[in-house]
Amino acid sequence: MTDVQGDSSGRAGRQRVLPVTDRLWTVPNLLSMLRLALVPVFVGALAQRELGWAALVLVVSGVSDFADGKIARHYGLTSRLGQVLDPVADRLYIAATVIGLAVVQVIPWWLVVVLFARELFIVLLYPVVHRYRLPIPEVTFIGKAATFNLLGGFPLVLLGHLPGWWSVLCLASGWALVWWGTVLYWVTGLVYGWQVSVMARERRGSGVPG
């Protein structure tokens, strides 16, 4: 979810700011909580080698991830809790997914390293963010697209490991989404790194103590 969205007129440089509430029990927040609650369900399904059920949980998670942002923007339900809860739920789910799939040998471990390297890159920016009291990055369209591709691709890759006429199609489309998601995931990280460097330079230029 994000509190900033491009103007529907599509004019460059124009944005409309959506109101941010302090409400806790909103539909988008409940969907993010559901995504968090499904993490142990997904891990348990993988542990039992129930790949079909694990894929279904990932589908539900992907749908909820798409729905919470749409509902928040459309009905003005963007909240301060949601701005924190949504990306936390996304990252936790991706972490559990990639580690779990690597453990059951559905994806290679080097892909886990690539995705976690991006998270490490973001963590390494924290000292600068804290030093200059920079804002938490908003969840952008590209960031949501990266998460959507990953959470859409992984269940297809899982289904591709089940015997059936669908296996080749699922593997091909699933890996295409995973690759696009991985690229976009890194793009959002690099963009935020650039934003942090620009904001930090502006703070130094304005005499903000570091």
Side-chain angles (χ1 to χ4, degrees), residues 151-191:
L151 292 182
F154 286 135
L156 289 173
V157 172
L158 264 177
L159 291 175
H161 283 76
L162 297 176
W165 59 266
W166 57 80
S167 59
V168 174
L169 178 61
C170 285
L171 281 175
S173 55
W175 276 112
L177 287 174
V178 168
W179 282 121
W180 271 112
T182 301
V183 170
L184 293 176
Y185 206 53
W186 264 100
V187 167
T188 58
L190 294 174
V191 167

Side-chain angles (χ1 to χ4, degrees), residues 105-173:
Q105 299 181 330
V106 170
I107 64 173
W109 279 102
W110 59 260
L111 180 58
V112 179
V113 173
V114 170
L115 291 172
F116 273 83
R118 186 268 194 186
E119 293 304 309
L120 178 60
F121 173 74
I122 296 297
V123 170
L124 292 176
L125 294 174
Y126 177 75
V128 177
V129 173
H130 178 72
R131 179 181 181 182
Y132 292 100
R133 300 180 182 87
L134 301 179
I136 297 174
E138 295 173 351
V139 179
T140 64
F141 174 79
I142 296 178
K144 296 300 288 185
T147 302
F148 183 79
N149 282 347
L150 290 173
L151 292 182
F154 286 135
L156 289 173
V157 172
L158 264 177
L159 291 175
H161 283 76
L162 297 176
W165 59 266
W166 57 80
S167 59
V168 174
L169 178 61
C170 285
L171 281 175
S173 55

Side-chain angles (χ1 to χ4, degrees), residues 3-190:
D3 62 337
V4 177
Q5 176 178 308
D7 191 298
S8 58
S9 66
R11 286 171 293 183
R14 293 288 300 276
Q15 288 183 324
R16 60 187 178 91
V17 179
L18 299 178
V20 179
T21 74
D22 292 319
R23 294 171 59 187
L24 300 180
W25 302 109
T26 65
V27 172
N29 288 351
L30 290 175
L31 288 173
S32 293
M33 294 175 189
L34 171 65
R35 206 151 63 251
L36 286 171
L38 286 176
V39 170
V41 177
F42 170 74
V43 173
L46 278 185
Q48 297 296 320
R49 299 293 300 189
E50 296 287 349
L51 300 187
W53 285 108
L56 178 60
V57 172
L58 284 183
V59 169
V60 172
S61 174
V63 171
S64 72
D65 180 57
F66 174 78
D68 65 5
K70 294 288 287 185
I71 293 172
R73 289 188 294 270
H74 185 75
Y75 294 101
L77 294 176
T78 301
S79 67
R80 302 187 193 284
L81 174 63
Q83 289 178 324
V84 176
L85 187 61
D86 186 46
V88 167
D90 287 347
R91 282 172 171 78
L92 181 58
Y93 223 110
I94 290 175
T97 299
V98 297
I99 292 175
L101 294 184
V103 168
V104 298
Q105 299 181 330
V106 170
I107 64 173
W109 279 102
W110 59 260
L111 180 58
V112 179
V113 173
V114 170
L115 291 172
F116 273 83
R118 186 268 194 186
E119 293 304 309
L120 178 60
F121 173 74
I122 296 297
V123 170
L124 292 176
L125 294 174
Y126 177 75
V128 177
V129 173
H130 178 72
R131 179 181 181 182
Y132 292 100
R133 300 180 182 87
L134 301 179
I136 297 174
E138 295 173 351
V139 179
T140 64
F141 174 79
I142 296 178
K144 296 300 288 185
T147 302
F148 183 79
N149 282 347
L150 290 173
L151 292 182
F154 286 135
L156 289 173
V157 172
L158 264 177
L159 291 175
H161 283 76
L162 297 176
W165 59 266
W166 57 80
S167 59
V168 174
L169 178 61
C170 285
L171 281 175
S173 55
W175 276 112
L177 287 174
V178 168
W179 282 121
W180 271 112
T182 301
V183 170
L184 293 176
Y185 206 53
W186 264 100
V187 167
T188 58
L190 294 174

